[in-house]
Amino acid sequence: MDFLHGISHAVSEALSMDAEDIAAMMEKPPNREMGDYALPCFKLASRLKKAPPLISKELTEKVIPPGFVSRMEAAGGYLNFFIDKSLFAKNTLERVMREGQAYGGSEEGRGKTICIDYSSINIAKPFHIGHLSTTVIGNALYKLYSHLGYRCIGINHLGDWGTQFGKLIVAFKRWGDRERIEAGTVSEMLRLYVKFHDEAEKDPSLEDEARVWFKKIEDGDEEALSIFNFFKELTMRDVQHVYDMLDIRFDSCAGESFYNDKTAAVIEELRAKELLEESDGAFVVNLDEYGLPPCMIVKSDGATLYATRDIAAAIYRKKSYDFDKCLYVVAYQQNLHFKQWFRVVEKMGYSWYKDLEHVAFGMVSMEEGTLSTRKGRVVLLEEVLKSSVGKARSIIEEKSPDLEDKDGAARMVGVGAVVFGALINNRIKDIVFSYDRALNFDGETAPYVQYTHARSCSVMRKSGGGVQGKIDYSLLCDDDAQEVVQNIAAFPATVKEACRRNEPSLIARLIVDLAQSFNRFYYDHRILEEDISLRNARLMLTDCTRHVIALGLGLLGIAAPERM
Ligand code: ARG
């Protein structure tokens, strides 16, 4: 039985109430001076027909606290419980050791499936910094939910549909060169695209030609498809470098074109359910009742829209994966889009519309003065990662001239810094990326957390055999040690909360707190003490810190170097 349930049980005995109900009422006080657990007695007021301060006072006399409670105290309407510090350390640290890789995980997701639509880059367009957040938030959610036992399906919903592909084919046939594109990939495709627009200004008939070619892709024309697939394969090959650097893989890359042959059925269904309205030759679903503009389903020229394909995709995913939740990690600019088509699914009568969730996030821009912004061009993610690795390499050269694998460490630190930079803030916030900030070894950064991890690994190496024999946890009752234990103990609930709110930043924040508390402990306490009991207890704390930091970084998709 854990602390929470032990206390709830004791309270439930005193009140002849269900222990689970009490457990659900219990809170964690905002700071530890107020106790480790608190029972807010106002939640009992109507049931007991008494004022909360009276309830808490009476309970101090009636409740027989379990042995691990060192103190119980009424404070206004709260009944506060203080856990014995030594037992708190023992329970927490031994649980970490016992559960190992599974620490903070659970079985709550057993038998449940979550689809996560993330990264979702566009074919023939650069993989730019605007796709950083969706890629790393989606990946972190994938790992977090997996840790809770959910089956996750990671989907890269490729943007591989639209009239621009007709234009690209026209440009390719006139001015394109296979070899040049193979060598230059996306930048070469962009060049063709720009060329098309320049030429189409002089000769508008090119636009008609592009429409014809796009229609040919839609109809499955062999030549059109082969050129289209050529663009697609090359883009995918190009972006694979970025995914490799980030160590990200997907379970499915079924993008918009995959739904080309599945939209007709959706339109038919909408028509049969009498949800389609004609509007200037186009067909829309009216959403007045929700105060939303109508959702366009078919354009006047018969073409389908982004929303049509998203509806088809949701229906397909429900059929194929029977998801319990389907998350869309997409920038807040698309808020309206998701609101609209979620409502269309609701109007179609699918009760699972409520399992669709738009996980929105803010914009990422580069700090003024970085090379990329000065040139006024798109900032490629690959370039940002590489340049961060380069900068990490020089910092490491300076800080750790004797390190053996400097390149390996620089890759982990440089990439980690960028990923962490996109995860440390509440996801809805806009962020301005700065290399200096992200690579600051003393800030709220990956390098700082990674460095703390490497430091604790180094202490463990120097200790020789690590923790040996029995541990006297009463030696971990000072404030500094307790602070570390507290952060370690918060990990399981934080993983859960991060999933509940789809907010990986909670984990990023917790491992920063853990690293900071450990470093305070480290500066004020010698770990490799002569005294064997002291040394053992402190090594246990160090080892658990090392372990939880590595776990936390891992859940964020960031490597934890053992030396740096
Ligand atoms: N490709 C789109 C973009 O770059 C994002 C797609 C998001 N996923 C979705 N199912 N709509 O803006």
Side-chain angles (χ1 to χ4, degrees), residues 28 35 61 234 268 287 410 453:
K28 277 239 159 233
E61 279 144 34
L234 279 187
E268 212 24 71
L287 298 172
H453 175 263

PDB file of all heavy atoms in Angstrom, residues 28 35 61 234 268 287 410 453:
ATOM      1  N   LYS A  28      -2.092  17.246  -2.888  1.00  0.00           N
ATOM      2  CA  LYS A  28      -0.681  17.478  -2.533  1.00  0.00           C
ATOM      3  C   LYS A  28      -0.558  18.949  -2.184  1.00  0.00           C
ATOM      4  O   LYS A  28      -0.835  19.803  -3.017  1.00  0.00           O
ATOM      5  CB  LYS A  28       0.221  17.178  -3.728  1.00  0.00           C
ATOM      6  CG  LYS A  28       0.547  15.718  -3.876  1.00  0.00           C
ATOM      7  CD  LYS A  28       2.064  15.523  -3.810  1.00  0.00           C
ATOM      8  CE  LYS A  28       2.389  14.085  -3.433  1.00  0.00           C
ATOM      9  NZ  LYS A  28       3.255  13.904  -2.340  1.00  0.00           N
ATOM     10  N   GLY A  35       2.938  19.937   4.715  1.00  0.00           N
ATOM     11  CA  GLY A  35       2.676  18.506   4.755  1.00  0.00           C
ATOM     12  C   GLY A  35       2.898  17.855   3.406  1.00  0.00           C
ATOM     13  O   GLY A  35       3.121  18.531   2.395  1.00  0.00           O
ATOM     14  N   GLU A  61      -8.304  13.989  16.191  1.00  0.00           N
ATOM     15  CA  GLU A  61      -8.501  13.116  17.352  1.00  0.00           C
ATOM     16  C   GLU A  61      -8.959  11.715  16.978  1.00  0.00           C
ATOM     17  O   GLU A  61      -8.638  10.741  17.639  1.00  0.00           O
ATOM     18  CB  GLU A  61      -9.523  13.752  18.319  1.00  0.00           C
ATOM     19  CG  GLU A  61      -8.889  14.799  19.208  1.00  0.00           C
ATOM     20  CD  GLU A  61      -9.813  15.970  19.497  1.00  0.00           C
ATOM     21  OE1 GLU A  61     -11.042  15.750  19.603  1.00  0.00           O
ATOM     22  OE2 GLU A  61      -9.315  17.117  19.564  1.00  0.00           O
ATOM     23  N   LEU A 234      11.961  11.160 -53.540  1.00  0.00           N
ATOM     24  CA  LEU A 234      13.153  11.974 -53.277  1.00  0.00           C
ATOM     25  C   LEU A 234      12.981  12.831 -52.024  1.00  0.00           C
ATOM     26  O   LEU A 234      13.910  12.969 -51.224  1.00  0.00           O
ATOM     27  CB  LEU A 234      13.452  12.876 -54.471  1.00  0.00           C
ATOM     28  CG  LEU A 234      14.187  12.197 -55.614  1.00  0.00           C
ATOM     29  CD1 LEU A 234      14.577  13.214 -56.656  1.00  0.00           C
ATOM     30  CD2 LEU A 234      15.434  11.479 -55.108  1.00  0.00           C
ATOM     31  N   GLU A 268     -20.449  10.812 -50.540  1.00  0.00           N
ATOM     32  CA  GLU A 268     -21.697  10.056 -50.714  1.00  0.00           C
ATOM     33  C   GLU A 268     -22.446   9.965 -49.381  1.00  0.00           C
ATOM     34  O   GLU A 268     -23.647  10.198 -49.302  1.00  0.00           O
ATOM     35  CB  GLU A 268     -21.362   8.639 -51.237  1.00  0.00           C
ATOM     36  CG  GLU A 268     -22.415   8.049 -52.137  1.00  0.00           C
ATOM     37  CD  GLU A 268     -23.279   9.118 -52.803  1.00  0.00           C
ATOM     38  OE1 GLU A 268     -22.821   9.865 -53.696  1.00  0.00           O
ATOM     39  OE2 GLU A 268     -24.458   9.213 -52.372  1.00  0.00           O
ATOM     40  N   LEU A 287     -22.383  24.830 -40.431  1.00  0.00           N
ATOM     41  CA  LEU A 287     -22.044  24.657 -39.011  1.00  0.00           C
ATOM     42  C   LEU A 287     -22.543  25.837 -38.165  1.00  0.00           C
ATOM     43  O   LEU A 287     -21.983  26.131 -37.108  1.00  0.00           O
ATOM     44  CB  LEU A 287     -20.525  24.478 -38.855  1.00  0.00           C
ATOM     45  CG  LEU A 287     -19.899  23.261 -39.540  1.00  0.00           C
ATOM     46  CD1 LEU A 287     -18.377  23.315 -39.484  1.00  0.00           C
ATOM     47  CD2 LEU A 287     -20.390  21.963 -38.899  1.00  0.00           C
ATOM     48  N   ALA A 410      28.721  15.387 -28.891  1.00  0.00           N
ATOM     49  CA  ALA A 410      28.229  16.619 -29.533  1.00  0.00           C
ATOM     50  C   ALA A 410      26.916  16.365 -30.262  1.00  0.00           C
ATOM     51  O   ALA A 410      26.014  17.209 -30.242  1.00  0.00           O
ATOM     52  CB  ALA A 410      29.277  17.162 -30.504  1.00  0.00           C
ATOM     53  N   HIS A 453      23.307  14.324 -15.709  1.00  0.00           N
ATOM     54  CA  HIS A 453      23.273  12.866 -15.878  1.00  0.00           C
ATOM     55  C   HIS A 453      24.697  12.314 -15.975  1.00  0.00           C
ATOM     56  O   HIS A 453      25.054  11.359 -15.280  1.00  0.00           O
ATOM     57  CB  HIS A 453      22.474  12.505 -17.137  1.00  0.00           C
ATOM     58  CG  HIS A 453      22.480  11.047 -17.449  1.00  0.00           C
ATOM     59  ND1 HIS A 453      23.351  10.484 -18.365  1.00  0.00           N
ATOM     60  CD2 HIS A 453      21.759  10.020 -16.935  1.00  0.00           C
ATOM     61  CE1 HIS A 453      23.139   9.179 -18.407  1.00  0.00           C
ATOM     62  NE2 HIS A 453      22.186   8.866 -17.560  1.00  0.00           N
TER      63      HIS A 453
END
